[in-house]
Amino acid sequence: MNINKILWPTDGSKESGESLRLALYLARIYGSEIICLHVSQIQIPVTDLYPSYETVIMDIVKDTEARFGEEFNRIETENPGVRFSTEVVRGSVVDWIIEKAKADEAGLIVMGKKGHGLIGSALLGSNTLKVLRNSPVPVLSVKTEDEKTEYDIKKILVPLDISDTADSSLTYALGLAGKLGASVTVVYVFWIDANVYELSPDLVDELSGHSAKELRLRVDAVKDRYYRDNKGAPEAGIETRVLTGVSPALTVTDYADENGFDLIAITTHGRRGLERIILGSETEKIIREARCPVLALKP
């Protein structure tokens, strides 16, 4: 797991500020460099009625870019133990984030789930989702409801689909937990749809029990392989649990809230079916609705 460099895109919103605090927390633990990036996505109205629009907007953009340059200098001065590099550019927000992550070989992107409309440069929800879908590296997203004085990640929740072979979220969580001294809880959601309501409670319990055994076997296999491949890595405490609910996303986020989890690690795809959890759309719902930060990884 490489987190030597953390890319932090910002539009100046509260969520960007909160994501910086999380980036700083991880940078201090991993000794990472933080790459500060602001993208001005210029939107000039096409009209002959107000030709001065272009001049006015460009003046605002230049002032904004100068302000971000000053802000980056302030952040660097206030955090002397952390290495920084900074860049203020113009163009497509999503394209710049993706290309910057590739070019600078960032190991992680930390960003707000949404931002504000600052000359079209905001990290809006749609932009965040586009980054999540296209990023070559894991993306850690934060929203302002998570606001804390200090981050201290000690409980990591990993929703897992036992019918899928993707183990990236659990493997990554084990490495992260070992470094942070955190525990890992892996959950499988037994999705109760309209057809299941006709089943008896005893049958639902039986199916849930079968899922619990399958989940434990799956987790043990991943854990054994991880520690075999990473000899000497700090071992994290890990437990499993089967949840039931009519909405996979709400079941996961409610469980995270009720049990005080500090982070959710999730794979950005899924499958449909009676015993399948974490659909692509459900994954996005978890990322959008979770109060705690969400780490999204590709399979």
Side-chain angles (χ1 to χ4, degrees):
M1 185 171 62
N2 173 24
I3 312 184
N4 292 329
K5 295 182 179 180
I6 298 173
L7 176 58
W8 173 60
T10 176
D11 65 351
S13 66
K14 288 184 178 180
E15 295 204 342
S16 289
E18 185 62 23
S19 64
L20 173 61
R21 287 203 277 185
L22 184 51
L24 287 167
Y25 164 73
L26 293 172
R28 291 187 177 109
I29 291 174
Y30 281 90
S32 313
E33 172 189 341
I34 296 180
I35 305 165
C36 305
L37 174 68
H38 171 71
V39 184
S40 291
Q41 185 168 297
I42 306 169
Q43 297 176 343
I44 299 175
V46 180
T47 176
D48 294 329
L49 297 178
Y50 302 99
S52 61
Y53 270 7
E54 181 173 355
T55 300
V56 171
I57 290 176
M58 288 307 300
D59 286 344
I60 295 174
V61 168
K62 290 176 182 177
D63 289 344
T64 299
E65 291 174 344
R67 180 168 60 83
F68 273 98
E70 294 172 357
E71 179 66 8
F72 289 162
N73 288 335
R74 181 191 65 79
I75 291 170
E76 189 169 358
T77 300
E78 292 180 354
N79 296 278
V82 179
R83 293 175 292 121
F84 290 90
S85 61
T86 65
E87 190 161 7
V88 178
V89 297
R90 299 175 188 173
S92 163
V93 174
V94 175
D95 289 347
W96 260 105
I97 292 173
I98 299 300
E99 292 307 314
K100 187 67 173 173
K102 292 178 181 177
D104 287 28
E105 298 182 339
L108 179 68
I109 297 173
V110 181
M111 63 189 297
K113 294 183 184 180
K114 61 182 180 180
H116 56 57
L118 184 62
I119 316 302
S121 67
L123 298 176
L124 304 176
S126 60
N127 277 345
T128 303
L129 288 176
K130 289 176 184 176
V131 172
L132 288 164
R133 291 167 182 158
N134 296 288
S135 173
V137 299
V139 178
L140 183 53
S141 57
V142 186
K143 65 179 179 180
T144 50
E145 287 183 4
D146 310 328
E147 191 167 347
K148 301 176 181 179
T149 303
E150 295 289 342
Y151 277 99
D152 187 20
I153 296 174
K154 294 302 179 187
K155 296 180 67 176
I156 301 174
L157 181 64
V158 181
L160 193 66
D161 181 354
I162 59 176
S163 66
D164 200 345
T165 58
D167 299 319
S168 59
S169 58
L170 178 53
T171 300
Y172 199 98
L174 288 172
L176 195 62
K179 187 73 172 180
L180 302 179
S183 63
V184 176
T185 299
V186 183
V187 296
Y188 169 76
V189 178
F190 186 81
W191 184 14
I192 303 178
D193 64 14
N195 294 323
V196 179
Y197 284 131
E198 299 178 3
L199 300 178
S200 68
D202 289 343
L203 183 54
V204 171
D205 288 344
E206 181 180 344
L207 293 172
S208 296
H210 175 73
S211 297
K213 292 178 182 178
E214 290 292 320
L215 179 62
R216 188 71 245 183
L217 289 172
R218 172 78 176 282
V219 168
D220 286 345
V222 175
K223 181 182 69 172
D224 291 345
R225 183 172 65 249
Y226 175 80
Y227 290 115
R228 184 173 62 248
D229 295 341
N230 297 272
K231 295 186 183 302
E235 289 203 24
I238 183 168
E239 64 178 50
T240 59
R241 185 174 295 273
V242 173
L243 310 176
T244 58
V246 296
S247 167
L250 290 179
T251 301
V252 170
T253 55
D254 286 349
Y255 184 78
D257 288 346
E258 292 166 2
N259 292 275
F261 282 93
D262 304 305
L263 176 72
I264 297 174
I266 191 168
T267 304
T268 57
H269 85 299
R271 302 167 63 185
R272 293 184 179 275
L274 177 62
E275 292 188 348
R276 288 169 171 77
I277 173 59
I278 311 309
L279 322 179
S281 60
E282 295 297 324
T283 299
E284 292 182 5
K285 289 177 185 175
I286 290 172
I287 293 168
R288 195 162 42 238
E289 299 300 329
R291 292 178 180 272
C292 65
V294 179
L295 177 66
L297 305 101
K298 288 189 175 181

